[in-house]
Amino acid sequence: SIAKVPTGAASSALAYARGKGLFAKKDLAGAKAALAQVDVQSEYGHQSRYLAALIAMKEATPASKPLAEGETPPPVPPSRYTAAIDLFVKVTQLPPDTGDHRRVIDMAWLAIGRLFYETDQYSQAVNAYNHIDRSSSEFGTMLYELSWVYVKLGDIERAQRALEVLAIAEPNST
């Protein structure tokens, strides 16, 4: 039985795998409970905290009806994703001690930027995106998304500059 699984790294790995599987099955409560069993110091600590933040984001996102052609979606209240953003911020505070962990931290910064963008908090989105280093595998994605933030802010010059850097940093990017 799973109750007989030893504690430590093995149990964290199994709890993470279980949480990830339950998340895929859309059992958010079960996934959250499983992920809470993962030791933050384990190899899967960063990933489990990131997934827990994704769950908080999904829980805060209401089901939406399809929009009619030309209809604009209603504005998202700035407070909708506060809990998810807080959880993503906690991921960014974990040590960047491996390449995989650094990538998870960068993905958390991307998520924070996206949630601020969704809630029309553009200066906070810019701040989040600016945490992603040029050496990150997420740098190109960040530049693309950052350019859209600048468009929303009406700063076309900065948007163009971000896209120019993207064209140089990732010349094969679509």
Side-chain angles (χ1 to χ4, degrees):
S1 125
I2 199 148
K4 295 181 182 177
V5 174
T7 59
S11 67
S12 284
L14 286 173
Y16 174 68
R18 185 167 190 272
K20 194 172 173 182
L22 291 168
F23 179 79
K25 291 175 128 183
K26 299 183 181 4
D27 178 357
L28 301 183
K32 194 182 331 184
L35 294 168
Q37 306 281 324
V38 178
D39 179 0
V40 74
Q41 303 298 321
S42 77
E43 177 183 352
Y44 300 98
H46 289 61
Q47 294 91 324
S48 67
R49 298 313 183 263
Y50 179 85
L51 202 49
L54 279 179
I55 291 168
M57 182 190 76
K58 288 200 171 286
E59 290 174 337
T61 305
S64 61
K65 64 177 181 75
L67 298 174
E69 189 175 327
E71 184 180 7
T72 58
V76 177
S79 62
R80 174 172 295 161
Y81 297 115
T82 301
I85 290 170
D86 289 345
L87 290 173
F88 281 121
V89 166
K90 287 180 181 173
V91 172
T92 69
Q93 295 167 344
L94 294 171
D97 51 358
T98 69
D100 286 342
H101 288 171
R102 277 189 295 280
R103 182 161 187 265
V104 171
I105 290 168
D106 288 341
M107 289 171 50
W109 281 120
L110 280 175
I112 293 165
R114 289 171 183 154
L115 293 175
F116 279 133
Y117 177 87
E118 283 296 311
T119 56
D120 300 333
Q121 298 177 78
Y122 303 122
S123 61
Q124 292 96 321
V126 169
N127 185 42
Y129 287 130
N130 281 330
H131 281 88
I132 298 173
D133 188 72
R134 289 180 182 270
S135 63
S136 171
S137 62
E138 302 303 322
F139 186 66
T141 301
M142 179 278 295
L143 287 171
Y144 177 77
E145 293 180 15
L146 181 62
S147 70
W148 279 108
V149 173
Y150 286 136
V151 167
K152 288 287 191 174
L153 285 169
D155 192 341
I156 302 306
E157 192 173 308
R158 279 192 174 163
Q160 287 176 324
R161 223 175 303 138
L163 293 174
E164 288 168 0
V165 173
L166 174 59
I168 293 167
E170 293 187 19
N172 297 326
S173 172
T174 55

